[in-house]
Amino acid sequence: MANRPKKAGISAEAEKKIAAKYPKELEDGAKTWVEAVYGQKVAWGEEDARPGDAFAKPLQDGIILCKIVNSFKPGAVKKIHESPKSFQMQENISNFLSACEQFGVDRIHIFQTVDLYERQNVGQVITCLQALSRVANKKDPNVPLFGPKQVDENPRQFTEEQLKEAAKKAH
């Protein structure tokens, strides 16, 4: 991917913003989590021109991601393409994303296929893996956790009197 043409104008500005937001501090945690859940060492790539390229390289074909989600929910991705064909790699990624959503990952945390395949926003890939980790850990505490724990809903009921008292204190 290092041989892609330089972007200019708005595209270059967007790329700079995405690169500035890349969560470099979370990358090592994401690598550790992927290897722990995958059950094997992963050959992480060399850092290219953009942040996240090394992280994305071994995940780009979607195979590892599909195997990870299948470890949480067997059969979530029914067919994992082992072929190096572009459309099959993208289909693996797409199938992983669908499985994540069905598993309970909130849509807001799910990345677009091009975010990983074309390395347009690898930071969002890490966000998705972190969300998948939280959901999987909540369903099974033996699953390693990457990042903060999934919060439980804690609804509260207030009486009219309590609400009026709080309103008085606010003024």
Side-chain angles (χ1 to χ4, degrees), residues 32 61 85 105 113 136 153:
T32 301
D61 61 11
K85 293 180 181 170
V105 175
T113 300
E153 192 173 323

Side-chain angles (χ1 to χ4, degrees), residues 44-153:
W44 302 104
E46 297 278 327
E47 197 61 52
D48 285 338
R50 298 180 317 162
D53 280 358
F55 179 77
K57 191 170 181 78
L59 304 178
Q60 189 175 9
D61 61 11
I63 295 169
I64 292 173
L65 296 176
C66 289
K67 289 181 178 181
I68 285 173
V69 79
N70 276 351
S71 74
F72 301 141
K73 187 176 180 188
V77 177
K78 293 180 185 6
K79 171 90 171 117
I80 302 173
H81 302 286
E82 302 280 342
S83 164
K85 293 180 181 170
S86 174
F87 71 93
Q88 290 183 322
M89 290 193 253
Q90 291 180 63
E91 188 174 327
N92 283 343
I93 295 169
S94 179
N95 290 340
F96 163 77
L97 297 172
S98 295
C100 282
E101 198 167 2
Q102 291 169 6
F103 190 62
V105 175
D106 193 326
R107 183 83 187 113
I108 196 165
H109 300 298
I110 293 180
F111 61 92
Q112 301 293 311
T113 300
V114 294
D115 290 341
L116 175 58
Y117 187 75
E118 294 180 7
R119 301 179 195 171
Q120 288 186 6
N121 189 353
V122 180
Q124 188 63 33
V125 176
I126 291 175
T127 298
C128 181
L129 292 175
Q130 203 172 37
L132 177 59
S133 161
R134 284 193 302 270
V135 171
N137 178 267
K138 186 170 182 172
K139 291 181 181 202
D140 178 1
N142 294 321
V143 172
L145 183 63
F146 161 47
K149 221 174 179 172
Q150 180 92 357
V151 296
D152 292 321
E153 192 173 323

Side-chain angles (χ1 to χ4, degrees), residues 3-18:
N3 61 353
R4 75 170 56 113
K6 284 264 187 216
K7 293 185 177 174
I10 294 174
S11 296
E13 287 178 36
E15 191 170 281
K16 281 182 192 172
K17 283 184 180 181
I18 289 171

